Amino acid sequence: MTSSSRRGLPHLAAAVDLPGEYEFGAHVELIRLAERGGLDFVTLDDTSTGAGPGAGVGPGPGPGLDAVAVLSRAVADTRRVGLVPMVTGPYAGSADGEAAVAHLDRVSRGRAGRRIDVSGREPSHLAALTGPSPQGHAVRVADAIDGPARLAAARYADVVLARVTSRAQARSVRDQLRADAAESGREPDSLRVLAALSIDLGDGEHAAEPGHGGGGPRRSARGPLYRGGPVDLADLIASWHRDGAVDGFHLIPVEPRRDLERLVNGTVALLQHRGLFRTFYPGGTLREHLGLARPVGQIAGGRT
């Protein structure tokens, strides 16, 4: 079994989505909170192609919330936390979409990531982002749900978000991704596998409900769900990472303001007290947060 000290510290990321909220300021407030906790990065779903009252909110192609625009606004109010717009659909692979993420990466001085579509075996929008960036190009984040998607993620992604409901499943998924990465000619240590969990911390400091916290997440309509207290979540994060099941976690708050605050001031603070999570950012780029080397070349896929 590999110890946490030898593997480094776990990586933590959080979603800052606020359903029905179209004001930039509310999202920026959550992003600043995530940075105060030292999280590696935040994600924000893009709804600019869907219905909503936010028409004209940023440069996106339609009404709704433009994730790139919101995260670009957050650049001035933050200094270190990574910023990852989860853009989907045709805009994600369009010239305008690529340019928007490249601009975010430049103005944030290398803190941007981008979601890549791995629904097919050969993702269609993996050209390196143009323009200077302290981290080479934006970190590639993939949401790996099934077998074919995981094969593509292992070949092309820097970070894989895996929806798992047990430590054993998480370890199996991580081991398979690393093996697939090696088979495709990549160094397995160039890949970070984060368990993607929705979190409901409404129980405060009370013990997690049976089968949730100490027993692990459970399946739900929104995907793997942890329901319990910040202390139990800290124990889960520490134990899964210590056992080599994951490189970290991507956490999606059920009640964004409440759960992110309890995550940062409860779970993260406890992990920091135990010496199991960073208390400061040692670098400035998202790749540095994740312990990933700067790409040598601007190559789409395979070795870089």
Side-chain angles (χ1 to χ4, degrees):
M1 184 180 298
T2 303
S3 69
S4 292
S5 60
R6 292 184 62 189
R7 295 186 59 233
L9 301 178
H11 300 286
L12 295 179
V16 291
D17 302 290
L18 288 165
E21 176 63 70
Y22 296 92
E23 293 295 327
F24 284 5
H27 292 88
V28 172
E29 180 182 353
L30 292 185
I31 296 168
R32 291 178 65 186
L33 175 60
E35 182 171 74
R36 287 199 295 274
L39 272 60
D40 291 69
F41 63 89
V42 298
T43 62
L44 181 61
D45 286 345
D46 185 274
T47 61
S48 58
T49 59
V57 178
L65 186 75
D66 186 321
V68 177
V70 173
L71 295 177
S72 295
R73 179 73 63 87
V75 168
D77 292 292
T78 57
R79 295 175 58 85
R80 291 290 187 267
V81 68
L83 307 167
V84 182
M86 302 295 275
V87 182
T88 59
Y91 185 58
S94 69
D96 287 344
E98 295 290 314
V101 176
H103 176 73
L104 175 62
D105 197 41
R106 290 195 297 272
V107 299
S108 67
R109 299 185 178 182
R111 290 193 280 142
R114 58 167 173 161
R115 179 189 182 277
I116 61 171
D117 181 6
V118 292
S119 57
R121 291 186 177 273
E122 296 295 328
S124 60
H125 55 286
L126 284 180
L129 300 181
T130 59
S133 166
Q135 65 173 347
H137 57 70
V139 170
R140 296 168 177 168
V141 180
D143 189 349
I145 301 172
D146 55 26
R150 286 178 186 158
L151 286 171
R155 183 175 182 185
Y156 296 105
D158 299 304
V159 176
V160 177
L161 310 180
R163 302 176 190 179
V164 292
T165 55
S166 72
R167 186 187 331 218
Q169 183 189 16
R171 184 186 295 110
S172 175
V173 169
R174 181 175 183 268
D175 288 348
Q176 187 60 59
L177 282 164
R178 288 171 59 84
D180 291 339
E183 180 145 353
S184 71
R186 292 185 61 186
E187 168 55 54
D189 286 339
S190 69
L191 182 66
R192 300 288 176 265
V193 182
L194 309 187
L197 302 179
S198 293
I199 55 170
D200 180 352
L201 302 181
D203 287 336
E205 293 299 332
H206 297 291
E209 294 181 10
H212 289 194
R218 69 171 185 179
R219 292 183 178 86
S220 76
R222 62 170 65 236
L225 170 68
Y226 164 89
R227 179 177 289 124
V231 173
D232 298 290
L233 180 58
D235 291 340
L236 184 149
I237 290 170
S239 64
W240 283 28
H241 181 262
R242 180 185 62 244
D243 292 350
V246 295
D247 297 303
F249 289 79
H250 175 243
L251 303 168
I252 305 100
V254 171
E255 294 288 341
R257 291 180 176 88
R258 179 198 68 191
D259 293 334
L260 186 60
E261 187 277 331
R262 291 181 178 179
L263 171 67
V264 169
N265 295 326
T267 300
V268 171
L270 181 57
L271 290 170
Q272 290 170 332
H273 178 72
R274 294 175 177 175
L276 299 178
F277 192 65
R278 68 164 68 92
T279 56
F280 66 94
Y281 290 100
T285 71
L286 180 51
R287 287 187 183 278
E288 288 173 320
H289 303 345
L290 293 165
L292 297 173
R294 187 182 190 276
V296 175
Q298 304 295 310
I299 302 173
R303 293 185 185 273
T304 57

